[in-house]
Amino acid sequence: MIDVIVAGGGPTGVMLAGELRLHGVHVVVLEKEVEPTKIVRSLGLHVRSIEVLDQRGLLNRFLALGRQYPLGGVFAGIDKPAPDRLDTAHPYVLGIPQTVTDRLLAERATELGVEIRRGWELVGLHQDQHGVTAELADGTRLRARYLVGCDGGRSTVRKLLGVGFPGEPTRREWLLGEVEVTVPPETVAAVVAEARKTHKGFGVGPIGDGVYRAVAPAAGVATDRTAPPTLEDLKQQLREVAGTDFGAHAPRWLSRFGDATRLAERYRVGRVLLAGDAAHVHPPLGGQGLNLGIQDAFNLGWKLAAEVGGWAPAGLLDSYHTERHPVAAEVLDTTRAQAELLSLEPGPQAVRRLLAELMDFQEVNRYLIEKLTGIGVRYDLGEGHDLLGRRLRDVGLQRGRLYELLHRGRGLLLDQTARLSVAGWADRVDHVIDVSAELDVPAALLRPDGHVAWVGDDQTELRSQLPKWFGAPAN
Ligand SMILES: Cc1cc2nc3c(=O)[nH]c(=O)nc-3n(C[C@H](O)[C@H](O)[C@H](O)COP(=O)(O)OP(=O)(O)OC[C@H]3O[C@@H](n4cnc5c(N)ncnc54)[C@H](O)[C@@H]3O)c2cc1C
């Protein structure tokens, strides 16, 4: 029997599969599309995802193919520089097309031994006490101990589970595509600048090799939202907004997206879990969806691996919902707020001006950026030190960097006292005695996802915390 079936080979699914495989879990990804998509949705990664890649030794591959941009101006496009001294070693946006992100994550998963089966569509599932049976479009059945639905916003897994997906339906739609144009670049830039004064959600910009990415509000919401628009549809909407279609031709691909904002009621039903867009959808304001999916996978991977490995303490797998559901709820709210701030009505415009003034206060600006980039997330692990539940930034140690110590996806006790011990858990938790001028705590216990589970210097206290995350001690 397979340990875990991941339904959906998008960024969330392959990230999760890689994380599971890091712990030796036998995982199979089922992806319905035979070929990777050419459609480029996300254009970048935010700080927390960049850190996550660094924590697994993957960042250099992404840096080699991406471009670093300043962090200012990301919240509702309000033009303010990033706050000083952001609490991260990576204070930038990494511009990288989603097709490249998908490919790099899939490559990593494959290198680790994940089997990605393309052209395999899940159409049914049944679970019992011992496992889950997945039914595929060609009638094949596969059995696994767990199944995770990473199958996107229209998730078949979520529907089969009957999990509610409350929120707002698509009320507005945009057309998106990559095309060539006949007008010169200066004309494109000038027309776009003028049109954007009165129209938001519109843009035409060069992406290299004479190709432009174009986005324009659609005339309405399509009846069949799965069908791509035609070139003529896109040209018509460009004319509507900008007065010209720029001579758009030779489309590389065309797509549409909407502003539906929904959150799954539950992330877990027995042996089946949901992650990424299958669990939450929202408009792409601030560029957060893919980031959220990668971070869901990072939270779930080690917990599900612990369950499969037989060492998970009671409640560990359920903490995936408890921790990640509120994070998604906040992201949904952040996109709702940004959508309002982009309205050209006088009221929202006044609120936008006010917020822009408030962002001159460093702490307000910092708060918004930390929220949007995912580094402000604090899981509720109860009362305690301010770092408890937060991810720790990368810090320099006498012998290297903290994030280098997390590549294997294990727990970590960073011990500046040299008096502590993880005896009994050494098969799951690394004990590193080192010091950092940047870390003002005697010792910190980090979970495999880099979040702080305990801070202190008392061995008895540490021993009481270890089983909460890493299960019973080995004999
Ligand atoms: C225009 C636009 C711009 C965006 N920009 C950004 C951005 O800048 N930053 C950001 O973070 N996010 C952005 N997003 C959001 C981002 O694209 C998504 O959040 C992300 O793709 C979600 O990843 P996922 O793996 O959860 O789902 P998906 O990428 O949707 O992948 C799901 C996969 O499951 C497969 N599948 C579906 N059903 C089945 C089935 N029954 N059996 C097997 N396989 C199945 C699909 O073929 C697909 O490959 C943007 C979205 C849009 C539309």
PDB file of all heavy atoms in Angstrom, residues 75 83 86 330 334 355 358-359 361-377 390:
ATOM      1  N   PHE A  75       1.355  46.101  -0.940  1.00  0.00           N
ATOM      2  CA  PHE A  75       0.031  46.068  -0.322  1.00  0.00           C
ATOM      3  C   PHE A  75      -0.905  46.997  -1.095  1.00  0.00           C
ATOM      4  O   PHE A  75      -0.764  48.217  -1.064  1.00  0.00           O
ATOM      5  CB  PHE A  75       0.093  46.482   1.155  1.00  0.00           C
ATOM      6  CG  PHE A  75      -1.189  46.209   1.888  1.00  0.00           C
ATOM      7  CD1 PHE A  75      -1.431  44.970   2.451  1.00  0.00           C
ATOM      8  CD2 PHE A  75      -2.184  47.173   1.953  1.00  0.00           C
ATOM      9  CE1 PHE A  75      -2.625  44.694   3.083  1.00  0.00           C
ATOM     10  CE2 PHE A  75      -3.389  46.907   2.581  1.00  0.00           C
ATOM     11  CZ  PHE A  75      -3.602  45.668   3.151  1.00  0.00           C
ATOM     12  N   PRO A  83       9.509  48.788   4.983  1.00  0.00           N
ATOM     13  CA  PRO A  83      10.022  49.318   6.244  1.00  0.00           C
ATOM     14  C   PRO A  83      11.485  48.937   6.452  1.00  0.00           C
ATOM     15  O   PRO A  83      11.961  47.960   5.884  1.00  0.00           O
ATOM     16  CB  PRO A  83       9.131  48.639   7.297  1.00  0.00           C
ATOM     17  CG  PRO A  83       8.564  47.452   6.615  1.00  0.00           C
ATOM     18  CD  PRO A  83       8.493  47.762   5.168  1.00  0.00           C
ATOM     19  N   LEU A  86      13.509  44.842   8.193  1.00  0.00           N
ATOM     20  CA  LEU A  86      12.504  43.780   8.248  1.00  0.00           C
ATOM     21  C   LEU A  86      13.171  42.547   8.858  1.00  0.00           C
ATOM     22  O   LEU A  86      14.337  42.283   8.580  1.00  0.00           O
ATOM     23  CB  LEU A  86      12.013  43.489   6.832  1.00  0.00           C
ATOM     24  CG  LEU A  86      10.614  42.937   6.693  1.00  0.00           C
ATOM     25  CD1 LEU A  86       9.580  43.917   7.260  1.00  0.00           C
ATOM     26  CD2 LEU A  86      10.297  42.663   5.242  1.00  0.00           C
ATOM     27  N   GLU A 330      -7.131  34.904   7.332  1.00  0.00           N
ATOM     28  CA  GLU A 330      -6.526  36.251   7.347  1.00  0.00           C
ATOM     29  C   GLU A 330      -6.118  36.693   5.944  1.00  0.00           C
ATOM     30  O   GLU A 330      -6.290  37.850   5.577  1.00  0.00           O
ATOM     31  CB  GLU A 330      -5.267  36.241   8.221  1.00  0.00           C
ATOM     32  CG  GLU A 330      -5.530  36.775   9.605  1.00  0.00           C
ATOM     33  CD  GLU A 330      -4.247  37.234  10.281  1.00  0.00           C
ATOM     34  OE1 GLU A 330      -3.439  37.949   9.667  1.00  0.00           O
ATOM     35  OE2 GLU A 330      -4.064  36.838  11.436  1.00  0.00           O
ATOM     36  N   THR A 334      -7.237  39.922   3.878  1.00  0.00           N
ATOM     37  CA  THR A 334      -6.279  40.892   3.324  1.00  0.00           C
ATOM     38  C   THR A 334      -6.596  41.165   1.852  1.00  0.00           C
ATOM     39  O   THR A 334      -6.473  42.295   1.392  1.00  0.00           O
ATOM     40  CB  THR A 334      -4.834  40.347   3.449  1.00  0.00           C
ATOM     41  OG1 THR A 334      -4.668  39.864   4.762  1.00  0.00           O
ATOM     42  CG2 THR A 334      -3.812  41.406   3.196  1.00  0.00           C
ATOM     43  N   LEU A 355      -4.812  55.294   4.563  1.00  0.00           N
ATOM     44  CA  LEU A 355      -3.899  54.176   4.836  1.00  0.00           C
ATOM     45  C   LEU A 355      -2.489  54.507   4.352  1.00  0.00           C
ATOM     46  O   LEU A 355      -1.500  54.201   5.010  1.00  0.00           O
ATOM     47  CB  LEU A 355      -4.409  52.889   4.172  1.00  0.00           C
ATOM     48  CG  LEU A 355      -3.597  51.643   4.522  1.00  0.00           C
ATOM     49  CD1 LEU A 355      -3.697  51.307   5.998  1.00  0.00           C
ATOM     50  CD2 LEU A 355      -4.056  50.434   3.701  1.00  0.00           C
ATOM     51  N   LEU A 358      -0.948  56.504   6.931  1.00  0.00           N
ATOM     52  CA  LEU A 358      -0.601  55.675   8.099  1.00  0.00           C
ATOM     53  C   LEU A 358       0.650  54.843   7.838  1.00  0.00           C
ATOM     54  O   LEU A 358       1.420  54.545   8.755  1.00  0.00           O
ATOM     55  CB  LEU A 358      -1.766  54.755   8.464  1.00  0.00           C
ATOM     56  CG  LEU A 358      -2.988  55.441   9.077  1.00  0.00           C
ATOM     57  CD1 LEU A 358      -4.141  54.459   9.234  1.00  0.00           C
ATOM     58  CD2 LEU A 358      -2.632  56.042  10.430  1.00  0.00           C
ATOM     59  N   MET A 359       0.829  54.455   6.582  1.00  0.00           N
ATOM     60  CA  MET A 359       1.998  53.618   6.256  1.00  0.00           C
ATOM     61  C   MET A 359       3.315  54.386   6.398  1.00  0.00           C
ATOM     62  O   MET A 359       4.386  53.790   6.360  1.00  0.00           O
ATOM     63  CB  MET A 359       1.850  53.009   4.857  1.00  0.00           C
ATOM     64  CG  MET A 359       0.880  51.842   4.848  1.00  0.00           C
ATOM     65  SD  MET A 359       0.514  51.253   3.191  1.00  0.00           S
ATOM     66  CE  MET A 359       1.999  50.335   2.802  1.00  0.00           C
ATOM     67  N   PHE A 361       4.066  55.586   9.104  1.00  0.00           N
ATOM     68  CA  PHE A 361       4.523  55.083  10.405  1.00  0.00           C
ATOM     69  C   PHE A 361       5.150  53.714  10.152  1.00  0.00           C
ATOM     70  O   PHE A 361       4.481  52.803   9.664  1.00  0.00           O
ATOM     71  CB  PHE A 361       3.355  54.938  11.392  1.00  0.00           C
ATOM     72  CG  PHE A 361       2.749  56.257  11.792  1.00  0.00           C
ATOM     73  CD1 PHE A 361       1.627  56.747  11.153  1.00  0.00           C
ATOM     74  CD2 PHE A 361       3.323  57.014  12.808  1.00  0.00           C
ATOM     75  CE1 PHE A 361       1.081  57.967  11.504  1.00  0.00           C
ATOM     76  CE2 PHE A 361       2.785  58.240  13.173  1.00  0.00           C
ATOM     77  CZ  PHE A 361       1.667  58.719  12.526  1.00  0.00           C
ATOM     78  N   GLN A 362       6.424  53.590  10.492  1.00  0.00           N
ATOM     79  CA  GLN A 362       7.158  52.347  10.207  1.00  0.00           C
ATOM     80  C   GLN A 362       6.434  51.109  10.732  1.00  0.00           C
ATOM     81  O   GLN A 362       6.423  50.075  10.091  1.00  0.00           O
ATOM     82  CB  GLN A 362       8.549  52.408  10.845  1.00  0.00           C
ATOM     83  CG  GLN A 362       9.512  53.324  10.126  1.00  0.00           C
ATOM     84  CD  GLN A 362       9.992  52.738   8.806  1.00  0.00           C
ATOM     85  OE1 GLN A 362      10.319  51.573   8.718  1.00  0.00           O
ATOM     86  NE2 GLN A 362       9.999  53.549   7.769  1.00  0.00           N
ATOM     87  N   GLU A 363       5.835  51.229  11.924  1.00  0.00           N
ATOM     88  CA  GLU A 363       5.217  50.043  12.518  1.00  0.00           C
ATOM     89  C   GLU A 363       3.983  49.593  11.734  1.00  0.00           C
ATOM     90  O   GLU A 363       3.689  48.403  11.644  1.00  0.00           O
ATOM     91  CB  GLU A 363       4.882  50.285  14.002  1.00  0.00           C
ATOM     92  CG  GLU A 363       6.106  50.269  14.902  1.00  0.00           C
ATOM     93  CD  GLU A 363       7.090  49.143  14.569  1.00  0.00           C
ATOM     94  OE1 GLU A 363       6.687  47.974  14.571  1.00  0.00           O
ATOM     95  OE2 GLU A 363       8.255  49.451  14.269  1.00  0.00           O
ATOM     96  N   VAL A 364       3.244  50.555  11.177  1.00  0.00           N
ATOM     97  CA  VAL A 364       2.064  50.190  10.366  1.00  0.00           C
ATOM     98  C   VAL A 364       2.531  49.507   9.082  1.00  0.00           C
ATOM     99  O   VAL A 364       2.039  48.439   8.699  1.00  0.00           O
ATOM    100  CB  VAL A 364       1.221  51.454  10.035  1.00  0.00           C
ATOM    101  CG1 VAL A 364       0.091  51.106   9.089  1.00  0.00           C
ATOM    102  CG2 VAL A 364       0.710  52.099  11.310  1.00  0.00           C
ATOM    103  N   ASN A 365       3.506  50.133   8.452  1.00  0.00           N
ATOM    104  CA  ASN A 365       4.055  49.591   7.211  1.00  0.00           C
ATOM    105  C   ASN A 365       4.601  48.179   7.456  1.00  0.00           C
ATOM    106  O   ASN A 365       4.329  47.233   6.711  1.00  0.00           O
ATOM    107  CB  ASN A 365       5.171  50.535   6.731  1.00  0.00           C
ATOM    108  CG  ASN A 365       5.550  50.297   5.276  1.00  0.00           C
ATOM    109  OD1 ASN A 365       4.902  49.518   4.586  1.00  0.00           O
ATOM    110  ND2 ASN A 365       6.597  50.951   4.834  1.00  0.00           N
ATOM    111  N   ARG A 366       5.335  48.028   8.565  1.00  0.00           N
ATOM    112  CA  ARG A 366       5.928  46.738   8.906  1.00  0.00           C
ATOM    113  C   ARG A 366       4.841  45.679   9.127  1.00  0.00           C
ATOM    114  O   ARG A 366       4.915  44.557   8.648  1.00  0.00           O
ATOM    115  CB  ARG A 366       6.774  46.888  10.177  1.00  0.00           C
ATOM    116  CG  ARG A 366       7.491  45.620  10.628  1.00  0.00           C
ATOM    117  CD  ARG A 366       8.227  45.830  11.941  1.00  0.00           C
ATOM    118  NE  ARG A 366       8.965  47.081  11.971  1.00  0.00           N
ATOM    119  CZ  ARG A 366      10.123  47.276  11.359  1.00  0.00           C
ATOM    120  NH1 ARG A 366      10.686  46.284  10.690  1.00  0.00           N
ATOM    121  NH2 ARG A 366      10.732  48.437  11.405  1.00  0.00           N
ATOM    122  N   TYR A 367       3.802  46.075   9.863  1.00  0.00           N
ATOM    123  CA  TYR A 367       2.712  45.149  10.169  1.00  0.00           C
ATOM    124  C   TYR A 367       2.080  44.611   8.870  1.00  0.00           C
ATOM    125  O   TYR A 367       1.859  43.397   8.725  1.00  0.00           O
ATOM    126  CB  TYR A 367       1.661  45.872  11.023  1.00  0.00           C
ATOM    127  CG  TYR A 367       0.484  45.020  11.382  1.00  0.00           C
ATOM    128  CD1 TYR A 367       0.565  44.085  12.412  1.00  0.00           C
ATOM    129  CD2 TYR A 367      -0.723  45.136  10.681  1.00  0.00           C
ATOM    130  CE1 TYR A 367      -0.514  43.290  12.732  1.00  0.00           C
ATOM    131  CE2 TYR A 367      -1.806  44.340  11.006  1.00  0.00           C
ATOM    132  CZ  TYR A 367      -1.707  43.426  12.028  1.00  0.00           C
ATOM    133  OH  TYR A 367      -2.780  42.644  12.330  1.00  0.00           O
ATOM    134  N   LEU A 368       1.819  45.528   7.934  1.00  0.00           N
ATOM    135  CA  LEU A 368       1.169  45.112   6.682  1.00  0.00           C
ATOM    136  C   LEU A 368       2.092  44.220   5.846  1.00  0.00           C
ATOM    137  O   LEU A 368       1.657  43.210   5.290  1.00  0.00           O
ATOM    138  CB  LEU A 368       0.755  46.347   5.868  1.00  0.00           C
ATOM    139  CG  LEU A 368      -0.375  47.168   6.488  1.00  0.00           C
ATOM    140  CD1 LEU A 368      -0.610  48.437   5.686  1.00  0.00           C
ATOM    141  CD2 LEU A 368      -1.667  46.352   6.568  1.00  0.00           C
ATOM    142  N   ILE A 369       3.367  44.584   5.796  1.00  0.00           N
ATOM    143  CA  ILE A 369       4.312  43.782   4.992  1.00  0.00           C
ATOM    144  C   ILE A 369       4.506  42.398   5.631  1.00  0.00           C
ATOM    145  O   ILE A 369       4.544  41.375   4.939  1.00  0.00           O
ATOM    146  CB  ILE A 369       5.677  44.511   4.852  1.00  0.00           C
ATOM    147  CG1 ILE A 369       5.507  45.781   4.022  1.00  0.00           C
ATOM    148  CG2 ILE A 369       6.732  43.606   4.267  1.00  0.00           C
ATOM    149  CD1 ILE A 369       5.385  45.566   2.539  1.00  0.00           C
ATOM    150  N   GLU A 370       4.589  42.354   6.957  1.00  0.00           N
ATOM    151  CA  GLU A 370       4.778  41.051   7.624  1.00  0.00           C
ATOM    152  C   GLU A 370       3.562  40.153   7.392  1.00  0.00           C
ATOM    153  O   GLU A 370       3.673  38.941   7.258  1.00  0.00           O
ATOM    154  CB  GLU A 370       5.012  41.253   9.127  1.00  0.00           C
ATOM    155  CG  GLU A 370       6.402  41.795   9.417  1.00  0.00           C
ATOM    156  CD  GLU A 370       6.702  41.923  10.897  1.00  0.00           C
ATOM    157  OE1 GLU A 370       5.778  41.728  11.713  1.00  0.00           O
ATOM    158  OE2 GLU A 370       7.867  42.221  11.234  1.00  0.00           O
ATOM    159  N   LYS A 371       2.396  40.782   7.349  1.00  0.00           N
ATOM    160  CA  LYS A 371       1.167  40.028   7.107  1.00  0.00           C
ATOM    161  C   LYS A 371       1.181  39.453   5.687  1.00  0.00           C
ATOM    162  O   LYS A 371       0.950  38.277   5.464  1.00  0.00           O
ATOM    163  CB  LYS A 371       0.005  41.009   7.247  1.00  0.00           C
ATOM    164  CG  LYS A 371      -1.321  40.431   7.657  1.00  0.00           C
ATOM    165  CD  LYS A 371      -2.322  41.563   7.667  1.00  0.00           C
ATOM    166  CE  LYS A 371      -3.252  41.640   8.807  1.00  0.00           C
ATOM    167  NZ  LYS A 371      -3.823  40.468   9.358  1.00  0.00           N
ATOM    168  N   LEU A 372       1.467  40.323   4.736  1.00  0.00           N
ATOM    169  CA  LEU A 372       1.392  39.928   3.338  1.00  0.00           C
ATOM    170  C   LEU A 372       2.471  38.913   2.942  1.00  0.00           C
ATOM    171  O   LEU A 372       2.249  38.051   2.097  1.00  0.00           O
ATOM    172  CB  LEU A 372       1.535  41.184   2.472  1.00  0.00           C
ATOM    173  CG  LEU A 372       1.027  41.010   1.069  1.00  0.00           C
ATOM    174  CD1 LEU A 372      -0.247  41.804   0.889  1.00  0.00           C
ATOM    175  CD2 LEU A 372       2.045  41.465   0.063  1.00  0.00           C
ATOM    176  N   THR A 373       3.628  39.022   3.565  1.00  0.00           N
ATOM    177  CA  THR A 373       4.733  38.149   3.156  1.00  0.00           C
ATOM    178  C   THR A 373       4.782  36.857   3.966  1.00  0.00           C
ATOM    179  O   THR A 373       5.636  36.010   3.734  1.00  0.00           O
ATOM    180  CB  THR A 373       6.091  38.864   3.331  1.00  0.00           C
ATOM    181  OG1 THR A 373       6.212  39.241   4.709  1.00  0.00           O
ATOM    182  CG2 THR A 373       6.195  40.094   2.462  1.00  0.00           C
ATOM    183  N   GLY A 374       3.893  36.725   4.948  1.00  0.00           N
ATOM    184  CA  GLY A 374       3.814  35.471   5.703  1.00  0.00           C
ATOM    185  C   GLY A 374       4.764  35.388   6.887  1.00  0.00           C
ATOM    186  O   GLY A 374       4.712  34.425   7.654  1.00  0.00           O
ATOM    187  N   ILE A 375       5.634  36.404   7.094  1.00  0.00           N
ATOM    188  CA  ILE A 375       6.577  36.271   8.215  1.00  0.00           C
ATOM    189  C   ILE A 375       5.956  36.718   9.540  1.00  0.00           C
ATOM    190  O   ILE A 375       6.534  36.519  10.596  1.00  0.00           O
ATOM    191  CB  ILE A 375       7.920  37.012   7.979  1.00  0.00           C
ATOM    192  CG1 ILE A 375       7.687  38.506   7.729  1.00  0.00           C
ATOM    193  CG2 ILE A 375       8.693  36.379   6.840  1.00  0.00           C
ATOM    194  CD1 ILE A 375       8.990  39.305   7.676  1.00  0.00           C
ATOM    195  N   GLY A 376       4.764  37.296   9.463  1.00  0.00           N
ATOM    196  CA  GLY A 376       4.102  37.715  10.702  1.00  0.00           C
ATOM    197  C   GLY A 376       3.297  36.591  11.339  1.00  0.00           C
ATOM    198  O   GLY A 376       2.746  36.746  12.430  1.00  0.00           O
ATOM    199  N   VAL A 377       3.209  35.426  10.662  1.00  0.00           N
ATOM    200  CA  VAL A 377       2.376  34.332  11.169  1.00  0.00           C
ATOM    201  C   VAL A 377       2.884  33.850  12.527  1.00  0.00           C
ATOM    202  O   VAL A 377       4.072  33.585  12.704  1.00  0.00           O
ATOM    203  CB  VAL A 377       2.373  33.145  10.172  1.00  0.00           C
ATOM    204  CG1 VAL A 377       1.770  31.899  10.808  1.00  0.00           C
ATOM    205  CG2 VAL A 377       1.632  33.528   8.899  1.00  0.00           C
ATOM    206  N   ARG A 390       6.172  31.476  16.464  1.00  0.00           N
ATOM    207  CA  ARG A 390       6.636  32.195  15.279  1.00  0.00           C
ATOM    208  C   ARG A 390       7.739  31.408  14.581  1.00  0.00           C
ATOM    209  O   ARG A 390       8.452  30.637  15.218  1.00  0.00           O
ATOM    210  CB  ARG A 390       7.243  33.546  15.652  1.00  0.00           C
ATOM    211  CG  ARG A 390       6.253  34.519  16.244  1.00  0.00           C
ATOM    212  CD  ARG A 390       6.927  35.866  16.429  1.00  0.00           C
ATOM    213  NE  ARG A 390       6.091  36.764  17.182  1.00  0.00           N
ATOM    214  CZ  ARG A 390       5.082  37.463  16.674  1.00  0.00           C
ATOM    215  NH1 ARG A 390       4.796  37.373  15.393  1.00  0.00           N
ATOM    216  NH2 ARG A 390       4.354  38.251  17.431  1.00  0.00           N
TER     217      ARG A 390
END
